[in-house]
Coordinates of all heavy atoms in Angstrom, one line a residue:
A1 N -9.1 2.6 4.9 CA -8.1 1.8 5.6 C -6.7 2.3 5.4 O -5.9 2.2 6.4 CB -8.3 0.4 5.3
R2 N -6.4 2.8 4.2 CA -5.0 3.2 4.0 C -4.7 4.4 4.8 O -3.5 4.6 5.2 CB -4.8 3.5 2.5 CG -4.8 2.2 1.7 CD -4.6 2.5 0.2 NE -3.1 2.7 0.0 CZ -2.7 3.1 -1.2 NH1 -3.4 3.4 -2.2 NH2 -1.4 3.3 -1.3
S3 N -5.7 5.3 5.0 CA -5.4 6.5 5.8 C -5.1 6.1 7.3 O -4.3 6.8 8.0 CB -6.5 7.5 5.7 OG -7.7 7.0 6.2
V4 N -5.8 5.1 7.8 CA -5.6 4.7 9.2 C -4.2 4.0 9.2 O -3.4 4.3 10.1 CB -6.7 3.7 9.6 CG1 -6.3 3.0 11.0 CG2 -8.0 4.4 9.7
L5 N -3.9 3.2 8.3 CA -2.6 2.5 8.2 C -1.4 3.5 8.2 O -0.4 3.3 8.8 CB -2.6 1.6 7.1 CG -1.4 0.6 7.0 CD1 -1.3 -0.3 8.2 CD2 -1.6 -0.3 5.7
A6 N -1.6 4.6 7.5 CA -0.6 5.6 7.3 C -0.2 6.3 8.6 O 0.9 6.8 8.7 CB -1.1 6.7 6.3
K7 N -1.0 6.1 9.6 CA -0.7 6.7 11.0 C 0.4 5.9 11.7 O 0.9 6.4 12.7 CB -1.9 6.9 11.8 CG -2.9 7.8 11.2 CD -4.2 7.9 12.0 CE -5.2 8.8 11.3 NZ -6.5 8.9 12.0
Y8 N 0.6 4.7 11.3 CA 1.6 3.8 12.0 C 3.0 4.0 11.4 O 3.1 4.1 10.2 CB 1.2 2.4 11.9 CG -0.1 2.1 12.7 CD1 -1.3 2.2 12.2 CD2 0.0 1.7 14.0 CE1 -2.5 2.0 12.9 CE2 -1.1 1.4 14.8 CZ -2.3 1.6 14.2 OH -3.5 1.4 15.0
A9 N 4.0 3.9 12.2 CA 5.4 4.0 11.8 C 5.8 2.7 11.0 O 5.2 1.7 11.2 CB 6.3 4.2 13.0
K10 N 6.8 2.9 10.2 CA 7.3 1.7 9.4 C 7.8 0.7 10.4 O 8.4 1.0 11.5 CB 8.5 2.1 8.5 CG 8.0 3.0 7.4 CD 9.2 3.3 6.5 CE 8.8 4.2 5.3 NZ 9.9 4.5 4.5
R11 N 7.5 -0.6 10.1 CA 8.0 -1.7 10.9 C 7.5 -1.7 12.3 O 8.2 -2.1 13.2 CB 9.5 -1.9 10.7 CG 9.9 -2.1 9.3 CD 11.4 -2.2 9.1 NE 12.1 -3.1 10.0 CZ 12.3 -4.4 9.8 NH1 11.8 -4.9 8.6 NH2 12.9 -5.2 10.6
S12 N 6.3 -1.1 12.6 CA 5.8 -1.0 13.9 C 4.8 -2.0 14.4 O 4.5 -2.1 15.5 CB 5.3 0.4 14.2 OG 4.1 0.6 13.4
L13 N 4.2 -2.8 13.4 CA 3.1 -3.7 13.7 C 3.6 -5.1 13.8 O 4.3 -5.6 12.9 CB 2.1 -3.6 12.6 CG 1.4 -2.2 12.5 CD1 0.4 -2.2 11.3 CD2 0.8 -1.7 13.7
Q14 N 3.3 -5.8 14.9 CA 3.6 -7.2 15.1 C 2.5 -8.1 14.8 O 2.7 -9.2 14.4 CB 4.1 -7.4 16.6 CG 4.5 -8.8 16.9 CD 5.7 -9.3 16.1 OE1 6.6 -8.5 15.9 NE2 5.7 -10.5 15.8
H15 N 1.2 -7.6 15.0 CA 0.0 -8.5 14.8 C -1.1 -7.6 14.2 O -1.4 -6.5 14.7 CB -0.5 -9.0 16.1 CG -1.7 -9.9 16.0 ND1 -1.6 -11.3 16.1 CD2 -2.9 -9.6 15.7 CE1 -2.8 -11.8 15.9 NE2 -3.6 -10.8 15.7
V16 N -1.6 -8.1 13.1 CA -2.7 -7.3 12.4 C -3.8 -8.3 12.1 O -3.6 -9.4 11.6 CB -2.2 -6.7 11.1 CG1 -3.3 -6.1 10.3 CG2 -1.1 -5.7 11.3
S17 N -5.0 -8.0 12.5 CA -6.2 -8.8 12.1 C -7.0 -8.0 11.1 O -7.4 -6.8 11.4 CB -7.1 -9.1 13.4 OG -6.4 -9.9 14.2
L18 N -7.3 -8.6 10.0 CA -8.2 -8.0 9.0 C -9.4 -8.8 9.0 O -9.4 -10.0 8.6 CB -7.5 -8.1 7.6 CG -6.2 -7.4 7.4 CD1 -5.6 -7.6 6.0 CD2 -6.3 -5.9 7.7
G19 N -10.5 -8.2 9.5 CA -11.7 -9.0 9.6 C -12.9 -8.2 9.0 O -12.9 -7.0 8.9
G20 N -13.9 -9.0 8.7 CA -15.1 -8.4 8.1 C -15.9 -9.5 7.4 O -15.6 -10.7 7.5
H21 N -16.9 -9.1 6.6 CA -17.6 -10.1 5.8 C -16.7 -10.5 4.7 O -15.9 -9.8 4.2 CB -18.9 -9.5 5.3 CG -19.8 -9.1 6.3 ND1 -20.5 -10.0 7.1 CD2 -20.2 -7.8 6.8 CE1 -21.3 -9.3 7.9 NE2 -21.1 -8.0 7.8
G22 N -16.9 -11.7 4.2 CA -16.0 -12.2 3.1 C -16.6 -13.4 2.4 O -17.5 -14.1 2.9
N23 N -16.0 -13.7 1.3 CA -16.3 -14.9 0.5 C -15.1 -15.7 0.0 O -15.3 -16.5 -0.8 CB -17.2 -14.5 -0.7 CG -16.5 -13.7 -1.7 OD1 -15.3 -13.4 -1.6 ND2 -17.2 -13.3 -2.8
G24 N -14.0 -15.4 0.5 CA -12.8 -16.1 0.1 C -11.9 -15.2 -0.8 O -10.7 -15.2 -0.7
T25 N -12.5 -14.4 -1.6 CA -11.8 -13.5 -2.5 C -11.7 -12.1 -2.0 O -11.0 -11.3 -2.6 CB -12.4 -13.5 -3.9 OG1 -13.7 -13.0 -3.9 CG2 -12.4 -14.9 -4.5
R26 N -12.4 -11.8 -1.0 CA -12.4 -10.4 -0.5 C -12.8 -10.3 1.0 O -13.5 -11.2 1.5 CB -13.3 -9.5 -1.3 CG -14.8 -9.9 -1.2 CD -15.6 -9.0 -2.0 NE -17.0 -9.4 -2.0 CZ -17.7 -9.9 -3.0 NH1 -17.1 -10.0 -4.2 NH2 -18.9 -10.3 -2.9
I27 N -12.4 -9.2 1.6 CA -12.9 -8.9 3.0 C -13.7 -7.6 2.8 O -13.1 -6.6 2.3 CB -11.8 -8.8 4.0 CG1 -11.1 -10.1 4.2 CG2 -12.3 -8.3 5.3 CD1 -9.8 -10.0 5.1
K28 N -14.9 -7.5 3.3 CA -15.7 -6.3 3.1 C -15.9 -5.7 4.5 O -16.2 -6.3 5.5 CB -17.1 -6.6 2.6 CG -17.9 -5.4 2.3 CD -19.3 -5.8 1.7 CE -20.1 -4.6 1.5 NZ -20.9 -4.3 2.7
W29 N -15.6 -4.3 4.5 CA -15.7 -3.6 5.8 C -16.9 -2.6 5.6 O -17.3 -2.3 4.5 CB -14.5 -2.8 6.0 CG -13.2 -3.6 6.2 CD1 -13.2 -4.8 7.0 CD2 -11.9 -3.4 5.7 NE1 -11.9 -5.2 6.9 CE2 -11.1 -4.4 6.2 CE3 -11.4 -2.4 5.0 CZ2 -9.8 -4.5 5.9 CZ3 -10.0 -2.5 4.7 CH2 -9.3 -3.5 5.1
G30 N -17.2 -1.9 6.7 CA -18.1 -0.8 6.6 C -19.4 -1.0 7.4 O -19.6 -2.1 8.0
D31 N -20.3 -0.1 7.2 CA -21.5 -0.1 8.0 C -22.7 -0.5 7.1 O -23.9 -0.2 7.5 CB -21.7 1.3 8.6 CG -21.8 2.4 7.6 OD1 -21.8 2.1 6.4 OD2 -21.8 3.5 8.0
G32 N -22.5 -1.0 6.0 CA -23.6 -1.4 5.1 C -24.0 -0.4 4.0 O -24.7 -0.7 3.1
R33 N -23.5 0.8 4.1 CA -23.8 1.8 3.1 C -22.9 1.7 1.9 O -23.3 2.2 0.8 CB -23.6 3.2 3.7 CG -24.6 3.6 4.8 CD -24.4 4.9 5.3 NE -23.2 4.9 6.1 CZ -22.6 6.0 6.6 NH1 -23.2 7.2 6.5 NH2 -21.5 5.9 7.4
C34 N -21.8 1.0 2.0 CA -20.9 0.8 0.8 C -21.3 -0.5 0.1 O -21.7 -1.5 0.7 CB -19.5 0.7 1.4 SG -18.3 1.0 0.1
H35 N -21.3 -0.4 -1.2 CA -21.8 -1.6 -2.0 C -20.8 -2.7 -1.9 O -19.6 -2.6 -1.8 CB -21.9 -1.1 -3.5 CG -22.7 -2.1 -4.3 ND1 -22.1 -3.2 -4.9 CD2 -24.0 -2.3 -4.5 CE1 -23.0 -3.9 -5.5 NE2 -24.2 -3.4 -5.3
E36 N -21.4 -3.9 -1.9 CA -20.7 -5.2 -1.7 C -19.5 -5.3 -2.7 O -18.5 -6.0 -2.4 CB -21.7 -6.3 -1.9 CG -21.0 -7.7 -1.7 CD -22.0 -8.8 -1.8 OE1 -23.1 -8.7 -1.2 OE2 -21.7 -9.8 -2.6
T37 N -19.7 -4.8 -3.9 CA -18.6 -5.0 -4.9 C -17.7 -3.8 -5.1 O -16.8 -3.8 -5.9 CB -19.3 -5.2 -6.3 OG1 -20.1 -4.1 -6.7 CG2 -20.1 -6.5 -6.3
S38 N -17.8 -2.8 -4.2 CA -16.9 -1.7 -4.2 C -15.6 -1.9 -3.5 O -15.6 -2.2 -2.3 CB -17.6 -0.5 -3.6 OG -16.6 0.6 -3.5
P39 N -14.5 -1.8 -4.3 CA -13.2 -2.1 -3.6 C -12.8 -1.0 -2.6 O -11.9 -1.2 -1.8 CB -12.2 -2.0 -4.8 CG -12.9 -1.4 -5.9 CD -14.3 -1.6 -5.7
A40 N -13.6 0.1 -2.5 CA -13.4 1.0 -1.4 C -13.8 0.5 -0.1 O -13.6 1.2 0.9 CB -14.1 2.4 -1.8
C41 N -14.5 -0.6 -0.1 CA -15.2 -1.1 1.1 C -14.4 -2.2 1.8 O -14.9 -3.0 2.6 CB -16.5 -1.6 0.8 SG -17.6 -0.4 0.2
G42 N -13.2 -2.5 1.4 CA -12.4 -3.6 2.0 C -11.2 -3.9 1.2 O -10.6 -3.1 0.5
V43 N -10.8 -5.2 1.3 CA -9.6 -5.7 0.6 C -10.2 -6.7 -0.5 O -10.7 -7.7 -0.2 CB -8.6 -6.4 1.5 CG1 -7.5 -7.0 0.7 CG2 -8.1 -5.5 2.6
F44 N -10.1 -6.2 -1.7 CA -10.4 -7.1 -2.9 C -9.2 -7.4 -3.6 O -8.1 -6.8 -3.5 CB -11.4 -6.3 -3.8 CG -12.7 -6.0 -3.3 CD1 -12.9 -5.3 -2.1 CD2 -13.8 -6.5 -3.9 CE1 -14.2 -5.1 -1.6 CE2 -15.1 -6.3 -3.5 CZ -15.3 -5.6 -2.3
Q45 N -9.2 -8.4 -4.4 CA -8.1 -8.8 -5.2 C -8.0 -8.0 -6.5 O -8.3 -8.4 -7.6 CB -8.2 -10.3 -5.6 CG -8.1 -11.2 -4.4 CD -8.2 -12.7 -4.7 OE1 -7.8 -13.1 -5.8 NE2 -8.6 -13.5 -3.8
D46 N -7.6 -6.7 -6.3 CA -7.4 -5.8 -7.4 C -6.3 -4.8 -7.1 O -5.6 -5.0 -6.1 CB -8.7 -5.0 -7.7 CG -9.2 -4.2 -6.5 OD1 -8.5 -4.1 -5.5 OD2 -10.4 -3.8 -6.5
S47 N -6.1 -3.8 -7.9 CA -5.0 -2.9 -7.6 C -5.1 -2.1 -6.3 O -4.1 -1.8 -5.7 CB -4.8 -1.9 -8.8 OG -6.0 -1.1 -9.0
I48 N -6.4 -1.8 -5.9 CA -6.6 -1.0 -4.7 C -6.2 -1.9 -3.5 O -5.5 -1.5 -2.6 CB -8.0 -0.5 -4.6 CG1 -8.3 0.5 -5.7 CG2 -8.3 0.1 -3.2 CD1 -9.7 0.9 -5.8
G49 N -6.7 -3.2 -3.5 CA -6.4 -4.1 -2.5 C -4.9 -4.4 -2.4 O -4.3 -4.5 -1.4
G50 N -4.3 -4.5 -3.6 CA -2.8 -4.7 -3.7 C -2.0 -3.6 -3.1 O -1.0 -3.8 -2.4
A51 N -2.5 -2.4 -3.3 CA -1.8 -1.2 -2.8 C -2.0 -1.1 -1.3 O -1.0 -0.8 -0.6 CB -2.4 0.1 -3.4
F52 N -3.1 -1.5 -0.7 CA -3.3 -1.6 0.7 C -2.3 -2.6 1.3 O -1.7 -2.3 2.3 CB -4.7 -1.9 1.1 CG -4.9 -2.2 2.5 CD1 -5.0 -1.2 3.4 CD2 -5.0 -3.5 3.0 CE1 -5.1 -1.4 4.8 CE2 -5.1 -3.8 4.4 CZ -5.2 -2.7 5.3
L53 N -2.2 -3.8 0.7 CA -1.4 -4.8 1.3 C 0.1 -4.4 1.1 O 0.9 -4.7 2.0 CB -1.6 -6.1 0.6 CG -3.0 -6.7 0.9 CD1 -3.2 -8.0 0.1 CD2 -3.2 -7.0 2.4
E54 N 0.5 -3.7 0.1 CA 1.9 -3.2 0.0 C 2.1 -2.2 1.1 O 3.2 -2.2 1.7 CB 2.1 -2.6 -1.4 CG 2.3 -3.6 -2.5 CD 3.5 -4.4 -2.2 OE1 4.6 -3.9 -1.8 OE2 3.4 -5.7 -2.5
D55 N 1.2 -1.3 1.4 CA 1.3 -0.3 2.5 C 1.5 -1.1 3.8 O 2.3 -0.7 4.6 CB 0.1 0.6 2.6 CG 0.0 1.6 1.4 OD1 1.0 1.7 0.6 OD2 -1.0 2.3 1.3
L56 N 0.7 -2.1 4.0 CA 0.7 -2.9 5.2 C 2.1 -3.6 5.3 O 2.6 -3.6 6.4 CB -0.4 -3.9 5.2 CG -0.5 -4.9 6.4 CD1 -0.6 -4.2 7.7 CD2 -1.6 -5.9 6.2
R57 N 2.6 -4.1 4.2 CA 3.9 -4.8 4.3 C 5.0 -3.9 4.9 O 5.8 -4.3 5.7 CB 4.3 -5.2 2.9 CG 5.7 -5.9 2.9 CD 6.2 -6.1 1.5 NE 5.2 -6.7 0.6 CZ 5.4 -7.6 -0.3 NH1 6.7 -8.0 -0.5 NH2 4.5 -8.2 -1.0
G58 N 5.0 -2.6 4.5 CA 6.0 -1.7 5.0 C 5.8 -1.4 6.5 O 6.7 -0.9 7.2
K59 N 4.6 -1.6 7.1 CA 4.4 -1.4 8.5 C 4.7 -2.5 9.4 O 4.7 -2.4 10.6 CB 2.9 -0.9 8.7 CG 2.5 0.2 7.8 CD 3.2 1.5 8.1 CE 2.7 2.6 7.3 NZ 3.3 3.9 7.7
L60 N 4.9 -3.7 8.8 CA 5.0 -4.9 9.6 C 6.5 -5.1 10.1 O 7.4 -4.9 9.3 CB 4.6 -6.2 8.8 CG 3.2 -6.2 8.3 CD1 2.9 -7.4 7.4 CD2 2.2 -6.3 9.5
Q61 N 6.6 -5.6 11.3 CA 7.9 -6.1 11.8 C 8.2 -7.4 11.1 O 7.3 -8.1 10.6 CB 7.8 -6.3 13.3 CG 7.6 -5.0 14.1 CD 7.6 -5.2 15.6 OE1 7.8 -6.4 16.0 NE2 7.3 -4.2 16.3
D62 N 9.5 -7.8 11.2 CA 9.9 -9.1 10.7 C 9.1 -10.2 11.5 O 8.9 -10.0 12.7 CB 11.4 -9.4 10.9 CG 12.2 -8.5 9.9 OD1 11.7 -8.1 8.9 OD2 13.4 -8.4 10.2
H63 N 8.6 -11.2 10.9 CA 7.9 -12.3 11.5 C 6.5 -11.9 12.1 O 6.0 -12.5 13.0 CB 8.7 -13.0 12.5 CG 10.1 -13.4 12.0 ND1 10.3 -14.4 11.1 CD2 11.3 -12.9 12.3 CE1 11.6 -14.5 10.8 NE2 12.2 -13.6 11.6
A64 N 6.0 -10.8 11.6 CA 4.6 -10.3 12.1 C 3.6 -11.4 11.7 O 3.7 -12.2 10.8 CB 4.3 -9.0 11.5
I65 N 2.5 -11.3 12.4 CA 1.3 -12.2 12.1 C 0.2 -11.4 11.5 O -0.2 -10.3 12.0 CB 0.9 -12.8 13.4 CG1 2.0 -13.7 14.0 CG2 -0.4 -13.6 13.2 CD1 1.7 -14.2 15.4
I66 N -0.4 -11.9 10.4 CA -1.6 -11.3 9.9 C -2.7 -12.4 9.9 O -2.5 -13.5 9.5 CB -1.4 -10.9 8.4 CG1 -0.3 -9.9 8.3 CG2 -2.7 -10.4 7.8 CD1 0.0 -9.6 6.8
V67 N -3.8 -12.0 10.5 CA -5.0 -12.9 10.6 C -6.1 -12.4 9.7 O -6.4 -11.2 9.7 CB -5.6 -12.9 12.1 CG1 -6.8 -13.7 12.1 CG2 -4.5 -13.4 13.0
L68 N -6.5 -13.3 8.8 CA -7.6 -13.0 7.9 C -8.9 -13.6 8.5 O -9.1 -14.8 8.5 CB -7.4 -13.6 6.5 CG -6.2 -13.1 5.8 CD1 -6.0 -13.9 4.5 CD2 -6.2 -11.6 5.5
D69 N -9.7 -12.7 9.2 CA -10.8 -13.2 10.0 C -12.1 -12.9 9.2 O -12.7 -11.8 9.4 CB -10.8 -12.5 11.3 CG -11.9 -13.0 12.3 OD1 -12.5 -14.0 11.9 OD2 -12.1 -12.4 13.3
T70 N -12.4 -13.8 8.3 CA -13.6 -13.7 7.5 C -14.1 -15.0 7.0 O -13.2 -16.0 7.0 CB -13.4 -12.7 6.3 OG1 -14.5 -12.6 5.6 CG2 -12.3 -13.3 5.4
C71 N -15.3 -15.2 6.7 CA -15.8 -16.5 6.2 C -15.0 -16.8 4.9 O -14.8 -16.0 4.0 CB -17.3 -16.4 5.8 SG -18.3 -16.1 7.2
Y72 N -14.5 -18.0 4.8 CA -13.9 -18.6 3.6 C -12.6 -17.9 3.2 O -12.2 -17.9 2.1 CB -14.8 -18.5 2.4 CG -16.2 -19.2 2.8 CD1 -17.3 -18.4 2.8 CD2 -16.3 -20.5 3.0 CE1 -18.6 -18.9 3.1 CE2 -17.5 -21.1 3.3 CZ -18.7 -20.3 3.4 OH -19.9 -20.8 3.6
A73 N -11.9 -17.2 4.2 CA -10.6 -16.5 3.8 C -9.6 -17.4 3.2 O -8.8 -17.0 2.4 CB -10.0 -15.9 5.1
A74 N -9.6 -18.7 3.5 CA -8.7 -19.7 2.9 C -9.4 -20.7 2.1 O -9.0 -21.9 2.0 CB -7.8 -20.3 4.0
N75 N -10.6 -20.4 1.5 CA -11.4 -21.3 0.8 C -10.5 -21.9 -0.3 O -10.1 -21.2 -1.2 CB -12.6 -20.6 0.2 CG -13.5 -21.4 -0.7 OD1 -13.2 -22.6 -0.9 ND2 -14.6 -20.9 -1.1
P76 N -10.4 -23.3 -0.3 CA -9.5 -23.9 -1.4 C -10.2 -23.9 -2.7 O -9.5 -24.3 -3.7 CB -9.3 -25.3 -0.8 CG -10.5 -25.6 0.1 CD -10.9 -24.2 0.6
Q77 N -11.5 -23.6 -2.8 CA -12.2 -23.6 -4.1 C -11.9 -22.4 -5.0 O -12.2 -22.5 -6.2 CB -13.7 -23.7 -3.8 CG -14.1 -24.8 -2.9 CD -13.9 -26.2 -3.5 OE1 -14.1 -26.4 -4.7 NE2 -13.6 -27.1 -2.6
V78 N -11.3 -21.4 -4.5 CA -11.0 -20.2 -5.3 C -9.6 -19.7 -5.0 O -8.9 -20.2 -4.1 CB -12.0 -19.0 -4.9 CG1 -13.4 -19.4 -5.2 CG2 -11.9 -18.7 -3.4
M79 N -9.1 -18.7 -5.8 CA -7.9 -18.0 -5.5 C -8.2 -17.1 -4.3 O -8.6 -16.0 -4.5 CB -7.4 -17.3 -6.7 CG -6.1 -16.4 -6.4 SD -4.8 -17.3 -5.6 CE -4.1 -18.1 -7.0
N80 N -8.0 -17.6 -3.1 CA -8.4 -16.9 -1.9 C -7.4 -15.8 -1.5 O -6.3 -15.8 -2.0 CB -8.7 -17.9 -0.8 CG -7.5 -18.7 -0.4 OD1 -6.5 -18.2 0.0 ND2 -7.6 -20.0 -0.6
L81 N -7.8 -15.0 -0.5 CA -6.9 -13.9 -0.1 C -5.6 -14.5 0.5 O -4.6 -13.9 0.4 CB -7.6 -13.1 0.9 CG -8.7 -12.1 0.4 CD1 -9.4 -11.4 1.5 CD2 -8.0 -11.1 -0.5
A82 N -5.7 -15.6 1.2 CA -4.5 -16.2 1.8 C -3.4 -16.5 0.8 O -2.2 -16.3 1.0 CB -4.8 -17.4 2.7
K83 N -3.9 -17.0 -0.4 CA -3.0 -17.4 -1.5 C -2.5 -16.1 -2.2 O -1.4 -16.0 -2.7 CB -3.6 -18.3 -2.5 CG -3.8 -19.7 -1.9 CD -4.5 -20.5 -3.0 CE -4.9 -21.9 -2.4 NZ -5.7 -22.7 -3.4
W84 N -3.5 -15.2 -2.4 CA -3.2 -14.0 -3.2 C -2.2 -13.1 -2.6 O -1.3 -12.6 -3.1 CB -4.6 -13.2 -3.4 CG -4.4 -12.1 -4.4 CD1 -4.2 -12.1 -5.7 CD2 -4.6 -10.7 -4.1 NE1 -4.2 -10.9 -6.2 CE2 -4.4 -10.0 -5.3 CE3 -4.8 -10.0 -2.9 CZ2 -4.5 -8.6 -5.3 CZ3 -4.8 -8.6 -2.9 CH2 -4.7 -7.9 -4.1

């Protein structure tokens, strides 16, 4: 995902949807070949996920919208991605 994001100019994105399978603490991408717990397969609450979100921050315009489209993305029972 970081290599795709790198193709966009700084401050060029107004709306970003991050979607995939999830449980509140992560969004998992891929075609099923990547293991569910591998941070290479999506956005997890770790240093790799943090680096992706930092890269994304630099690509966003002021007042951009980010949609977390996954099951339980804002689950109040855990430290969810929306809070993280």
Side-chain angles (χ1 to χ4, degrees):
R2 289 181 79 188
S3 63
V4 172
L5 191 57
K7 296 176 183 179
Y8 290 89
K10 291 181 180 180
R11 300 176 51 88
S12 65
L13 301 175
Q14 180 64 36
H15 180 107
V16 175
S17 293
L18 301 176
H21 297 288
N23 67 359
T25 64
R26 64 181 177 244
I27 296 175
K28 183 178 178 273
W29 299 318
D31 58 9
R33 290 181 290 178
C34 198
H35 193 271
E36 180 177 313
T37 59
S38 173
C41 299
V43 179
F44 289 62
Q45 294 181 27
D46 61 11
S47 61
I48 296 170
F52 171 78
L53 294 176
E54 283 298 320
D55 290 351
L56 177 58
R57 179 190 308 218
K59 305 297 182 173
L60 297 174
Q61 295 179 4
D62 291 341
H63 310 290
I65 296 169
I66 299 174
V67 176
L68 300 175
D69 187 10
T70 182
C71 295
Y72 310 110
N75 180 353
Q77 306 294 327
V78 297
M79 173 52 78
N80 60 61
L81 284 175
K83 291 179 185 175
W84 188 69

